[in-house]
Amino acid sequence: MAAASFLFKNKVSDISAFDSLVSAFCCLPGVGAKTAQRMALHLIERDRQGASVLSEALQNALKKIGKCKLCRNLSEGEHCEICVDPRRDKSLICVVENPADVFAIEQSGTYRGLYFVLMGYLSPLDGIGPDEIGLGDFKNRIIEEEIKEVILATNPTVEGEATAFYITKLVGLQGIQISRIAHGVPIGGELEYVDSNTLAHALSGRRLITK
Amino acid sequence: MRIALQPAFLLHRKPYRDSSRIYDFFTLEHGVISVIAKSVWRKEKGGSLANLIQPFTPLLISFVGRASLKTLSKVELADNHKNFSGERVFCALYLNELLLKLVGRNIPHPELFGYYSKSLDALKSASSVEEPLRSFELFLLAELGYEIDLETDSTGTPINECANYLYEPTHGFTKIQSEIVNEGGRYLGRDILAMAKGEFNGVSAALKRLLRVTLSYHLGEKELQSRSLFPSK
């Protein structure tokens, strides 16, 4: 709030409740003073019902949503729906960086295993080490559960690769199969528009279709 | 100020707002600079900016601006990405961290730039990572004006092969009578002379110790995080 109030050299209005609503909106990424004011005006002037739905939903979400104890993904209970779903393949675990990555993989509809969400990646320059991304918990989970394969789906960036390598070293000793998602040309893409690093990966990771 | 096609390596990036990023580049003629790039996910021929700007990739960057934070206008690939396998990527990240934490902003270090590029190649191909890492650390200290004098002791007398020395970052080597060497700040004269000649093979542990003390002295309160990625060492 202090940072937000710094944005307003002059008060927006004489109504302090309105001012505090505007500065509260500034906590959203990409929302500055002007956008926040527009949002606040819209809710107060035109859509009071929407505003009360929004405030209830926010309160509710804050109260109920925590982290799943098994996969660290966002969850309403102690364990998330994916972790307790009996139809899921419990021998497969996919490591991703963010909850958004879980949504993306779930939308693809092809994966039926479990997840582990790191909530970040190894980035020594930002002070994020193995403990900050829960690799200790991950190791315990690998040892305790009967997992046959770990799929590393961290982003294909240098930090993502470093994270994948670190996990490989961590898991490698347990005799579990480890795989890395493929990197290459997107579906519907054109080679001309693909950067050369990706193309190099696509070529080096090519697949035989005839023997 | 408009700078075109400046050779550069990415050291670090942080997200800024929705689709912008602030990049720290190490450039040939302008040293370490911070540059803001907007709409990094916009699709372009040859990949979006975010795809293109990766660490350890030789880039040619164009930027504008007088203030300390420049604005990126264009990026081209100068060469292929240097792919590091396994643990070597941690070593390469360590070089980046050293540059970010020790080198002042906007000060040109063209020779260091060349050496950094060579060190990345060496890290990729050398059989052991020790030598490229140690030579980079020595070169970096020398370039910044903190060179370790490996030829004379604190009184100006040449290092004696048979004597033992105590090292302190503020004073350099001082001759001591003690027989206990190769621990704490104590070094053998002949090891120091081997380091001076660039023969790191037999003395890698002593050199590592020496550089660690010196680097942590110059880093002050800043800690090197990359080391936490090497749990076994």
Side-chain angles (χ1 to χ4, degrees):
Chain A
M1 199 74 101
S5 56
F6 163 78
L7 288 172
F8 304 103
K9 283 182 187 145
N10 302 311
K11 276 205 297 180
V12 182
S13 70
D14 287 334
I15 315 159
S16 63
F18 186 77
D19 283 347
S20 64
L21 177 62
V22 171
S23 50
F25 272 122
C26 287
C27 74
L28 292 169
V31 174
K34 209 70 190 168
T35 317
Q37 189 186 336
R38 209 179 59 232
M39 287 173 165
L41 275 175
H42 175 83
L43 289 179
I44 299 297
E45 277 193 341
R46 293 173 203 273
D47 198 357
R48 286 200 168 225
Q49 202 195 342
S52 76
V53 171
L54 178 69
S55 84
E56 265 170 47
L58 254 179
Q59 284 289 349
N60 205 15
L62 277 178
K63 240 182 262 164
K64 286 188 181 163
I65 301 178
K67 266 190 197 175
C68 169
K69 283 201 171 161
L70 282 173
C71 69
R72 288 165 54 100
N73 197 6
L74 301 178
S75 146
E76 272 195 41
E78 198 168 300
H79 296 137
C80 70
E81 280 185 13
I82 296 176
C83 285
V84 295
D85 189 344
R87 289 166 300 175
R88 290 263 168 180
D89 183 351
K90 301 261 195 284
S91 65
L92 260 180
I93 189 162
C94 178
V95 183
V96 294
E97 288 180 8
N98 293 304
D101 300 338
V102 174
F103 298 144
I105 296 179
E106 281 300 292
Q107 263 184 358
S108 77
T110 49
Y111 180 67
R112 302 300 303 162
L114 303 174
Y115 291 94
F116 188 83
V117 186
L118 300 170
M119 296 283 176
Y121 47 76
L122 283 182
S123 174
L125 288 170
D126 300 307
I128 301 172
D131 294 335
E132 280 77 14
I133 55 172
L135 290 183
D137 296 347
F138 182 67
K139 195 177 177 185
N140 292 340
R141 201 174 159 192
I142 293 290
I143 295 169
E144 284 163 15
E145 293 175 28
E146 282 187 22
I147 284 161
K148 287 190 188 133
E149 184 179 351
V150 173
I151 302 172
L152 299 172
T154 51
N155 290 332
T157 55
V158 168
E159 292 89 347
E161 294 294 343
T163 313
F165 174 73
Y166 194 91
I167 299 173
T168 312
K169 266 207 321 190
L170 197 73
V171 178
L173 300 170
Q174 318 293 330
I176 295 166
Q177 196 175 325
I178 307 167
S179 57
R180 180 90 175 96
I181 53 162
H183 313 317
V185 185
I187 301 279
E190 287 168 40
L191 290 192
E192 192 188 350
Y193 281 87
V194 174
D195 63 293
S196 51
N197 285 339
T198 310
L199 264 181
H201 265 291
L203 278 172
S204 65
R206 67 186 183 277
R207 254 197 329 207
L208 273 183
I209 48 175
T210 52
K211 279 195 180 169
Chain B
M1 192 174 66
R2 185 176 294 273
I3 307 292
L5 300 176
Q6 180 67 213
F9 280 99
L10 172 67
L11 297 180
H12 186 226
R13 62 181 151 82
K14 20 180 203 258
Y16 177 70
R17 295 211 161 163
D18 270 355
S19 60
S20 303
R21 274 184 180 172
I22 296 175
Y23 290 108
D24 290 321
F25 286 110
F26 185 33
T27 60
L28 176 65
E29 288 165 8
H30 300 265
V32 179
I33 54 166
S34 292
V35 180
I36 185 166
K38 291 171 184 163
S39 313
V40 290
W41 294 108
R42 192 173 52 217
K43 266 199 175 164
E44 276 172 38
K45 225 174 205 180
S48 67
L49 280 181
N51 287 151
L52 212 58
I53 307 176
Q54 294 290 332
F56 321 126
T57 308
L59 301 165
L60 294 171
I61 62 168
S62 306
F63 54 91
V64 289
R66 282 174 204 278
S68 58
L69 182 65
K70 324 278 185 217
T71 307
L72 191 72
S73 49
K74 207 176 167 200
V75 175
E76 287 175 30
L77 277 185
D79 198 356
N80 283 334
H81 176 68
K82 298 182 198 294
N83 274 319
F84 290 100
S85 55
E87 219 166 45
R88 303 206 168 191
V89 71
F90 300 151
C91 300
L93 284 170
Y94 171 70
L95 297 193
N96 281 5
E97 189 175 10
L98 277 182
L99 286 175
L100 267 179
K101 291 194 171 160
L102 281 173
V103 180
R105 298 287 161 128
N106 304 311
I107 306 166
H109 289 288
E111 283 173 19
L112 183 61
F113 183 86
Y115 206 85
Y116 172 73
S117 174
K118 260 193 265 168
S119 300
L120 288 182
D121 287 331
L123 269 182
K124 204 176 148 185
S125 54
S127 56
S128 151
V129 295
E130 294 290 328
E131 204 197 315
L133 283 180
R134 298 296 94 78
S135 2
F136 182 79
E137 287 168 337
L138 282 172
F139 192 93
L140 176 68
L141 286 171
E143 174 77 20
L144 298 177
Y146 303 130
E147 187 168 16
I148 305 174
D149 189 349
L150 294 166
E151 278 162 0
T152 53
D153 69 7
S154 53
T155 58
T157 330
I159 297 277
N160 183 344
E161 204 178 13
C162 307
N164 299 329
Y165 292 87
L166 180 74
Y167 176 77
E168 282 170 306
T170 41
H171 293 82
F173 292 102
T174 317
K175 206 166 171 180
I176 44 165
Q177 298 303 323
S178 163
E179 289 299 309
I180 313 160
V181 283
N182 272 340
E183 62 175 65
R186 301 188 176 91
Y187 299 88
L188 285 169
R190 64 162 191 277
D191 286 358
I192 303 170
L193 288 173
M195 294 172 199
K197 284 183 203 147
E199 295 161 1
F200 301 153
N201 269 341
V203 295
S204 65
L207 182 59
K208 194 171 179 176
R209 213 150 34 89
L210 176 69
L211 280 163
R212 200 166 261 219
V213 171
T214 317
L215 286 170
S216 70
Y217 172 75
H218 293 300
L219 282 163
E221 286 176 0
K222 298 178 211 164
E223 268 183 48
L224 290 175
Q225 302 284 344
S226 317
R227 284 182 188 149
S228 69
L229 299 176
F230 297 92
S232 52
K233 285 175 193 170

